[in-house]
Amino acid sequence: MTRRDLAWRLSGVVLTAGACTACLLLDRSPLMVPLFDVALLGLPLMVHGKRVAQVLRAERRGHALTAAAVHAARLRARGQDSDGFGT
């Protein structure tokens, strides 16, 4: 795991843990609803790391084949051909 990926995953942990802690402190407050949304936003970051940012960039640029672009980037990073074997 690279430092960049670890940083993205840790930011997800911080978002989720911070929002859950704030929800515990704000017992029965209406602010708990948006904090719950923040906690849910941290979950994909914890699981997928920097790939979340990659997918968001691809969608923001209007890429029609986002899943194929992400898959191709992974294969390039691993040094593999489209068939899954090395070059």
Side-chain angles (χ1 to χ4, degrees):
M1 182 180 316
T2 64
R3 283 185 173 191
R4 182 176 162 203
D5 191 38
L6 184 61
W8 278 101
R9 289 177 191 257
L10 286 176
S11 66
V13 169
V14 168
L15 273 175
T16 302
C20 289
T21 303
C23 279
L24 289 174
L25 294 174
L26 297 172
D27 190 31
R28 297 181 190 246
S29 171
L31 290 174
M32 290 176 67
V33 175
L35 286 174
F36 182 70
D37 292 338
V38 171
L40 290 178
L41 288 174
L43 291 175
L45 286 174
M46 282 192 292
V47 174
H48 297 293
K50 69 180 179 182
R51 286 184 282 173
V52 173
Q54 185 181 21
V55 167
L56 290 176
R57 277 194 312 268
E59 284 186 8
R60 187 178 62 220
R61 291 183 178 138
H63 201 288
L65 303 172
T66 302
V70 171
H71 182 68
R74 283 188 206 151
L75 291 179
R76 277 194 308 273
R78 292 181 185 164
Q80 297 176 346
D81 287 335
S82 60
D83 61 359
F85 294 103
T87 54

